[in-house]
Amino acid sequence: MTRIVLFGTGSPVVADVEESLHRAGTIIAAGISNRPAPSQLSNGIPVTEADKVSAELLSLPYLVPLFSPGNRRTAFEEAARLGLKTPFTLIDPTAILPRALELGDGSYVNAGCVVGSRVRVGAFGFLNRGALIGHDLEAGTFVSIGPGAVIGGNVTLASGVLIGAGAVVLPKIVIGENAVVGAGAVVTCDVAAGAVVAGNPARPMPQQTGN
Ligand SMILES: CC(C)(COP(=O)(O)OP(=O)(O)OC[C@H]1O[C@@H](n2cnc3c(N)ncnc32)[C@H](O)[C@@H]1OP(=O)(O)O)[C@@H](O)C(=O)NCCC(=O)NCCS
């Protein structure tokens, strides 16, 4: 059985990752704690401080269980500095995938996602529970799509974009780097880099910057 480590143990996302790993027949050898927060891992799974990680753990593939693109990017940089070398890509076995899916290293596809044809997602992507991804999506690195979001066909998401839970993005929309789409928003026109939009139809929120 494949064994991996989780880098970062404080996010509630850990619970879903544990379930997906269980369904996929993959074992968590240990969690690596990178912040002084209580571990969200189930009892019995060992947690190691980042400065006390063994060479054996450093040799294993690793996954960063964090949803926010900014936090995930920072954690991946920390993991690389620590000496972790092989990002693990986790696809929950309940996801429905197309024949041709390009999914970058270190990505996570959570339970119940339905991914359309010819989708491309860059490294360290996160498709959360039950997201519906339209055909021909072009997504950059560190893109996070929230639970139950609906992404139309031919959408482009630049690096670091966060799509909130249940948001709807209409076909052919282009969303700029590090932009945030609020939960439940309906995006009917392109979104500028760094913008935060919410509502139906989605409008920029005042005095906000992206994640
Ligand atoms: C849009 C968002 C980024 C704004 O976050 P924020 O800057 O912390 O905003 P606040 O919570 O301070 O709210 C500011 C105002 O916007 C409103 N608001 C917040 N989120 C909203 C949303 N999704 N749709 C509509 N209005 C929203 C608030 O009610 C508040 O209104 P008020 O000023 O009249 O009281 C955030 O609310 C959001 O939707 N994030 C996505 C989270 C998500 O879905 N994650 C996936 C989980 S896995």
Side-chain angles (χ1 to χ4, degrees):
M1 267 191 178
T2 307
R3 297 166 73 236
I4 72 163
V5 294
L6 298 187
F7 185 82
T9 56
S11 164
V13 165
V14 164
D16 273 15
V17 169
E18 269 193 40
E19 298 299 338
S20 294
L21 287 168
H22 176 73
R23 284 189 282 269
T26 303
I27 289 171
I28 304 172
I32 300 174
S33 166
N34 65 334
R35 294 284 184 281
S39 168
Q40 300 290 326
L41 278 166
S42 295
N43 290 339
I45 300 177
V47 177
T48 308
E49 301 295 321
D51 57 354
K52 299 187 180 99
V53 180
S54 67
E56 197 261 332
L57 289 183
L58 288 178
S59 73
L60 296 178
Y62 72 101
L63 190 71
V64 172
L66 293 170
F67 181 75
S68 158
N71 293 343
R72 202 159 70 253
R73 187 188 293 270
T74 301
F76 269 109
E77 288 165 359
E78 289 172 4
R81 278 199 298 275
L82 192 64
L84 288 157
K85 290 185 183 57
T86 314
F88 184 74
T89 301
L90 174 60
I91 300 177
D92 191 290
T94 65
I96 296 177
L97 304 180
R99 288 166 297 170
L101 169 66
E102 287 184 34
L103 187 64
D105 290 346
S107 294
Y108 173 37
V109 179
N110 198 349
C113 284
V114 179
V115 182
S117 187
R118 299 183 301 254
V119 160
R120 302 205 310 181
V121 177
F124 312 117
F126 192 144
L127 311 185
N128 213 337
R129 230 173 308 104
L132 303 179
I133 310 297
H135 61 86
D136 296 294
L137 171 72
E138 288 281 347
T141 56
F142 293 102
V143 164
S144 294
I145 300 181
V150 179
I151 310 297
N154 292 106
V155 164
T156 302
L157 306 176
S159 289
V161 164
L162 186 157
I163 307 291
V168 176
V169 180
L170 295 191
K172 298 184 184 170
I173 294 290
V174 177
I175 300 187
E177 206 167 314
N178 297 328
V180 175
V181 171
V186 178
V187 182
T188 59
C189 57
D190 292 353
V191 176
V196 180
V197 302
N200 178 8
R203 300 272 185 246
M205 295 180 73
Q207 297 175 333
Q208 299 264 9
T209 55
N211 63 81

